[in-house]
Amino acid sequence: MAIRSTDARWGAIARSFHWLIFVLIAVAATVGLIMVELPKRPNIIPVYSFHKSVGLTVLALAALRLLWRLFDRRPREPAMPAWQRWASRLVHGALYVLIFAIPLSGWLFDSAGGLRPLHWFGLFEVPKLLAPDGDVEDVAEALHEALFWVLAAALVLHVGGALKHHFVDRDDVLARMLPWRTRRLRAAAALEPPSPAPAPPP
């Protein structure tokens, strides 16, 4: 399993970041949608703390993923119309922005509320971004919720585009990010030119 990406496939580290962040976003979203419907009682504090901890984890992993992208190559793009290429880049760019913006807005919301210390899974305290401020709290809460629904729409476009590539265009865009190798991906890898042999020592 290649650690770094190749022309035909994302590497193990890039794929791990992709799927781990996706799973954590799904967990945070599910918990977030459930907890806002729960009665405001002290026994739901651990649920809120878990949601916040998962969000901070997404933020940290997103930063590491972006840092890794500076050193990792990108698999080749399949042939596609220019508008699809630009649409893909726009959706991917929006996803990166939202993956940072949503946890940050949640962190700001928690900081401005100033109700209690913020702990990451109970292991250590996370510093506040600012002093308690009711006006900022209201704005951050509204922004956090609005950005979540924008993310949901962007994910629908992202998943829809990946499925179109796989089932309609029948290229390897989805296959190269899957944790396992598909027959289509093995065929694409077989067409890659072999790596040049190292030069003999002088």
Side-chain angles (χ1 to χ4, degrees):
M1 181 183 296
I3 297 297
R4 304 188 68 171
S5 302
T6 66
D7 281 345
R9 182 168 169 78
W10 290 101
I13 292 180
R15 282 183 282 116
S16 297
F17 277 132
H18 178 276
W19 292 110
L20 184 56
I21 290 173
F22 173 78
V23 170
L24 290 177
I25 287 175
V27 170
T30 302
V31 173
L33 292 172
I34 292 173
M35 74 185 191
V36 295
E37 302 297 330
L38 297 176
K40 298 297 188 284
R41 296 174 181 171
N43 60 353
I44 70 168
I45 291 176
V47 180
Y48 277 78
S49 298
F50 177 76
H51 173 78
K52 295 171 186 179
S53 295
V54 174
L56 291 171
T57 306
V58 169
L59 181 61
L61 289 174
L64 291 173
R65 178 180 182 179
L66 189 60
L67 182 63
W68 175 248
R69 284 292 304 273
L70 298 177
F71 300 96
D72 195 29
R73 66 188 301 178
R74 181 182 177 85
R76 69 184 185 283
E77 288 186 336
M80 68 178 78
W83 71 267
Q84 287 188 19
R85 183 174 294 107
W86 283 108
S88 173
R89 292 174 181 174
L90 179 63
V91 171
H92 276 89
L95 286 171
Y96 266 105
V97 171
L98 290 165
I99 288 171
F100 280 97
I102 293 175
L104 284 172
S105 64
W107 190 359
L108 183 64
F109 174 36
D110 178 87
S111 300
L115 292 177
R116 61 188 62 84
L118 175 60
H119 290 89
W120 186 76
F121 291 112
L123 297 178
F124 58 85
E125 184 174 340
V126 179
K128 300 289 187 180
L129 296 178
L130 77 171
D133 187 316
D135 292 335
V136 175
E137 180 185 13
D138 292 340
V139 172
E141 180 181 15
L143 183 63
H144 190 63
E145 181 177 350
L147 289 175
F148 164 73
W149 292 113
V150 175
L151 175 64
L155 284 174
V156 169
L157 293 175
H158 179 62
V159 173
L163 293 176
K164 174 186 177 295
H165 277 286
H166 193 74
F167 293 108
V168 178
D169 301 330
R170 303 189 66 80
D171 56 35
D172 60 354
V173 166
L174 174 61
R176 66 191 185 181
M177 184 54 87
L178 293 175
W180 60 88
R181 280 182 174 268
T182 65
R183 182 182 305 175
R184 190 177 305 170
L185 188 62
R186 289 193 294 268
L191 297 176
E192 284 193 305
S195 302

